Amino acid sequence: MIIDCHGHYTTEPAQLTEYRKAQLDGLAVDPSFLPSRADLSISDDEIRERLEPAQLKLQRERGTDVTIFSPRAVGMGHHLGNEQTGYYWAEICNNMVRRVCDMYPDKFVPVCQLPQFPGVEPKKTIPELERCVNEMGFIGVNVNPDPSGAMWTDPPITDKWWYPLWEKMVELDVPGMLHVSGSCNPNFHHTGAHYIAGDTTVFMQLILGDLFKDFPNLKFIIPHGGGAVPFHWGRYRGLAQDMGKPTLDEHLLDNVFFDTCVYHQPGIDCMTKVIPTKNILFASEMVGAVRGIDPETGFNYDDTKRYIDGTPNLSTAEREQVFSENTLRVFSRLKL
Ligand SMILES: [Zn+2]
């Protein structure tokens, strides 16, 4: 069984992105513009036409059984529009992901985005989280630790600002992938810099805080291989030690997990050497972040199963942990 814990709906029909554009265009012309809830006419065929030659074809070719599927990450754009447009946008994106999962129930399982907005308390996203989990069977949530879009104007994730959301996630028993979205800061390219910096940043926030003392059952996945964390594991162990914190193992590793969206063999070799196997979840983030073929290998950069198969650091039993067992444990609502 191979579960990809990190896939986005990047092949959405044009009507969805047109709705978002109309929202944002309306606000650009008139800041008091009040958008209506999305009421899109999209046929099943239109969904199939774009999904079949992309995510579904690649699942088949690469041997992925099921993908944990969420709305396009850069599309969340929490820093764009206003609170109300963001709410309607999250609703329609989550509804579309649910629809895809209903059409392909063996291939996709849904994870939601939240209607976050910079400066607005995360607790205001709870109704949408509850709707997704309780009414629509979602098994996890993508939480943007920086809804300002690379300006980092909201408090760190260990701040009480976030606590109502963490309480609700524990109550609902859903893990959160800490996944940033687009960047409005020209210093940070979204997938190349903001994503990787965001992953690294939240890990350091967790070292500095004591979040899991208050939430021993809260579970986070740090995507994109944990950003710079595995490569700099010694730095983080040393910083924790200098600050008189418990070891990373005691402090964080019952609650924090890393995915395998690292797009070359030496990166996965490093990760599987330094991060305990129980904390690694298989993922590819296809189709989206990096689309090309690596001329050094002849395979797509995001064909990450090859790197897990190819690393000398995992036994057969450990590969099974990475490919499915860890994910089934972290996403406790996932029943296959
Ligand atoms: Zn992603």
Side-chain angles (χ1 to χ4, degrees):
M1 167 71 69
I2 296 180
I3 307 168
D4 184 339
C5 81
H6 184 178
H8 298 294
Y9 190 24
T10 50
T11 48
E12 65 277 65
Q15 292 95 317
L16 189 65
T17 36
E18 281 161 13
Y19 168 76
R20 177 62 161 170
K21 185 171 182 306
Q23 271 194 336
L24 300 179
D25 287 352
L27 276 176
V29 174
D30 174 8
S32 64
F33 168 76
L34 276 179
S36 50
R37 245 193 184 96
D39 180 18
L40 308 182
S41 172
I42 297 170
S43 69
D44 285 357
D45 281 345
E46 287 174 287
I47 292 173
R48 272 190 212 105
E49 270 165 27
R50 304 209 52 204
L51 203 62
E52 298 264 4
Q55 281 94 341
L56 284 162
K57 174 171 170 273
L58 293 175
Q59 278 184 338
R60 227 173 10 250
E61 285 175 4
R62 298 178 186 179
T64 310
D65 293 294
V66 62
T67 300
I68 297 178
F69 207 49
S70 60
R72 184 193 284 268
V74 74
M76 296 191 295
H78 295 115
H79 56 291
L80 302 172
N82 61 30
E83 205 182 331
Q84 187 62 56
T85 53
Y87 219 101
Y88 289 161
W89 177 235
E91 280 182 345
I92 186 63
C93 288
N94 292 331
N95 291 351
M96 285 300 297
V97 163
R98 179 65 262 178
R99 195 168 157 195
V100 168
C101 295
D102 286 340
M103 288 173 65
Y104 299 96
D106 299 335
K107 290 291 161 193
F108 299 107
V109 188
V111 158
C112 62
Q113 79 177 54
L114 292 176
Q116 296 174 253
F117 195 72
V120 173
E121 288 173 285
K123 72 178 177 196
K124 295 189 80 174
T125 66
I126 288 175
E128 178 61 6
L129 176 63
E130 288 184 310
R131 184 182 79 98
C132 288
V133 176
N134 291 332
E135 296 174 27
M136 299 203 293
F138 282 57
I139 62 159
V141 53
N142 288 343
V143 179
N144 185 347
D146 171 31
S148 71
M151 308 303 283
W152 294 92
T153 50
D154 281 357
I157 58 168
T158 49
D159 191 276
K160 295 253 181 331
W161 172 262
W162 295 89
Y163 272 32
L165 179 59
W166 305 151
E167 276 163 24
K168 183 54 68 177
M169 284 165 53
V170 170
E171 181 197 314
L172 295 173
D173 194 18
V174 287
M177 181 173 277
L178 297 169
H179 200 312
V180 295
S181 181
S183 166
C184 61
N185 182 336
N187 289 288
F188 297 95
H189 179 271
H190 60 295
T191 49
H194 184 39
Y195 280 26
I196 305 305
D199 305 333
T200 313
T201 300
V202 291
F203 189 76
M204 192 62 218
Q205 290 179 3
L206 291 170
I207 290 178
L208 283 165
D210 279 309
L211 189 62
F212 302 120
K213 270 200 181 128
D214 289 339
F215 297 100
N217 296 319
L218 183 61
K219 289 176 283 187
F220 288 139
I221 300 122
I222 304 186
H224 321 112
V229 169
F231 192 64
H232 287 282
W233 196 240
R235 172 173 295 252
Y236 295 107
R237 284 178 52 231
L239 281 167
Q241 185 177 313
D242 289 351
M243 287 186 279
K245 298 279 184 185
T247 64
L248 296 183
D249 201 21
E250 297 162 334
H251 192 37
L252 302 180
L253 294 186
D254 286 337
N255 306 82
V256 177
F257 304 86
F258 302 88
D259 81 9
T260 64
C261 296
V262 174
Y263 291 162
H264 67 150
Q265 187 69 57
I268 287 293
D269 290 347
C270 169
M271 182 184 199
T272 48
K273 193 161 190 176
V274 300
I275 305 290
T277 306
K278 71 178 177 63
N279 294 84
I280 303 174
L281 311 186
F282 175 69
S284 70
E285 204 177 24
M286 66 89 175
V287 177
V290 175
R291 291 173 185 249
I293 290 171
D294 184 344
E296 292 180 10
T297 65
F299 298 105
N300 286 85
Y301 290 98
D302 66 3
D303 188 354
T304 52
K305 178 172 175 292
R306 290 177 185 281
Y307 314 133
I308 304 299
D309 288 337
T311 188
N313 300 324
L314 297 175
S315 66
T316 304
E318 287 170 330
R319 276 193 186 87
E320 278 174 28
Q321 279 183 263
V322 171
F323 280 136
S324 64
E325 290 169 18
N326 294 338
T327 307
L328 286 163
R329 200 176 67 246
V330 172
F331 288 85
S332 25
R333 282 175 172 260
L334 177 60
K335 304 285 181 238
L336 296 174

